[in-house]
Structure formats: structure tokens, C-alpha cells
Amino acid sequence: MGISRSSRHKRSATGAQRAHYRKKRKFELGRQPASTKLGPKRIHSVRVRGGNLKYRALRLESGNFAWASEHTTRKTRIIGVVYNASNNELVRTNTLVKSAIIQIDATPFRQWYEAHYAQPITKKGAKAQVPAGEEAVKKSSHVLRKLEERKKEAKIDPLLEQQFLAGRLYAAISSRPGQSGRADGYVLEGKELEFYIRKLRSGKQKHAHNA
């Protein structure tokens, strides 16, 4: 029996069984899940209806992630899956799917922030000044004025600051790795970040009680 996306076998909204008046059709077919894992990039192309191509990511290790409040996007390494609302098994096996909550390497975002605002992203970073042997790069007065204006708006969420200290950021995947062959998404911040941190903490407490 092939995988089918047809809803003919399902009951109607009122609970009535639908009559079987035809067999399965090619346009109702479904395929095996991609179950995209973490690892060196491996993508297969699949020929689909209309001669189009889908890109089935079997393994991925990086993606483009947007930091919405700073209006910037950086390609960064995916470290691991930490939460999935649909199935804990997808967390245990590090399976990349849409809406999975993952941890990504914070380095590209930290480097961008420090270059853009000309100041460290964390208070601890402020203490680590330029080593004595290295000379500071000279900047024109125009560039210095521009940086001073930027510094006035350089505010960062305390929760994000903690993550930058650890070198890892929480992010959500918004692309579909099994369809587009990419694991792109956005950095979690604000209310959404608070929500998922609560979920992660409550999950750890449950495991501690069960152990």
C-alpha cells in the first residue's frame, strides 16, 4: 500500500463514513518523510508533479538565520535541536523540521554587532579590551560620528545577552528542509523567546522528577 494524502478514507464532519467509489490516484500520493539530520550537507532532488523538482535535505549543518530586531541575516552553524512541540523523539534524534527550536552558533551575529556598533555585545566583552600589542584601526571623523549615533540605539535583550555569553542562540526553523533543501529561520527574541525558555525549563524539571 502506497502512502496517500487523500481524505476519502476519513469520516465527514458529521461522522458519516464516506462511500468508496474509486481507488487511489497518482495525484494523491505521499512520499516517505525526509527526516533531515545534522551532518555534512547531503541533498537529493526529487522529480515531482509537473516536472518540477523538490530538494530533499537528508543532512544539513548550517542555514541562514535572521535577527529581526537588528534587520540582519547571517549564515551560521546549527548546533542541535532543543525543542519540538509535536514530538520529543525529533529532539532526541536531532531531526530538522519546520518550527523546530534549535541552537545556533552566535559568533557571526556577535561579529556583526561589534563591527556595526563598535562596542562589545556583552558587559564581559567590554572588559576584554584590545591587547596592548595591537593598534586600534584609525577611523575618520565621519565614521566616528556615525558610530556614535548607532551606539545610542544599541540595546540588547538581557535574555539574548546571556545566550551571547554562552556562544549559542535559540532559533526557529521557518523553511521546510524536506521540500526546499534548506534549514533557514530566525533568532528567537521577545515574548516568543520567553515562552520557549519556559517550555525548556519545565521539560527539564519533568525529566528530573522522572529520573
Side-chain angles (χ1 to χ4, degrees):
M1 290 266 302
I3 300 169
S4 175
R5 293 181 304 108
S6 135
S7 58
R8 293 299 318 165
H9 64 285
K10 286 184 162 301
R11 288 173 179 263
S12 72
T14 55
Q17 277 192 323
R18 291 202 181 96
H20 297 286
Y21 70 91
R22 71 177 187 199
K23 293 184 176 179
K24 290 181 179 180
R25 295 290 187 263
K26 178 83 163 63
F27 56 78
E28 292 169 347
L29 68 79
R31 295 183 181 87
Q32 297 290 341
S35 300
T36 310
K37 298 285 189 279
L38 273 177
K41 187 162 86 168
R42 184 190 291 177
I43 299 169
H44 287 180
S45 57
V46 182
R47 194 266 188 196
V48 297
R49 189 169 165 87
N52 297 305
L53 286 177
K54 282 185 180 180
Y55 297 97
R56 187 81 79 236
L58 304 178
R59 289 182 198 162
L60 288 173
E61 57 189 349
S62 63
N64 293 325
F65 290 87
W67 188 359
S69 63
E70 294 292 344
H71 309 291
T72 188
T73 301
R74 287 288 173 272
K75 183 179 179 180
T76 186
R77 184 172 60 92
I78 298 170
I79 295 166
V81 180
V82 292
Y83 181 76
N84 193 309
S86 63
N87 192 347
N88 283 333
E89 195 69 8
L90 300 177
V91 178
R92 191 183 65 80
T93 55
N94 269 335
T95 304
L96 302 174
V97 294
K98 184 176 177 174
S99 298
I101 305 304
I102 59 173
Q103 278 192 319
I104 58 174
D105 184 12
T107 309
F109 293 102
R110 181 179 54 76
Q111 288 170 341
W112 172 84
Y113 187 96
E114 289 173 1
H116 187 73
Y117 291 109
Q119 66 180 26
I121 199 162
T122 58
K123 284 164 189 156
K124 273 193 181 176
K127 292 170 190 172
Q129 294 297 329
V130 179
E134 290 183 29
E135 287 183 24
V137 179
K138 287 184 180 177
K139 295 184 175 78
S140 69
S141 58
H142 172 70
V143 170
L144 290 170
R145 279 200 309 275
K146 192 162 71 173
L147 290 172
E148 286 305 314
E149 283 299 312
R150 282 180 186 169
K151 281 179 185 178
K152 291 174 187 174
E153 299 169 6
K155 287 179 183 173
I156 189 162
D157 186 342
L159 286 173
L160 270 181
E161 195 174 337
Q162 287 173 16
Q163 291 175 56
F164 273 111
L165 274 171
R168 297 173 171 206
L169 297 174
Y170 288 124
I173 296 176
S174 57
S175 67
R176 300 173 70 195
Q179 308 287 318
S180 65
R182 301 170 66 95
D184 298 341
Y186 57 94
V187 174
L188 294 178
E189 42 191 343
K191 296 277 186 192
E192 194 176 10
L193 176 59
E194 289 169 21
F195 172 82
Y196 283 113
I197 284 175
R198 277 201 309 274
K199 284 281 185 189
L200 288 166
R201 281 178 187 156
S202 65
K204 281 175 186 171
Q205 285 169 358
K206 278 180 191 172
H207 288 306
H209 289 309
N210 294 335

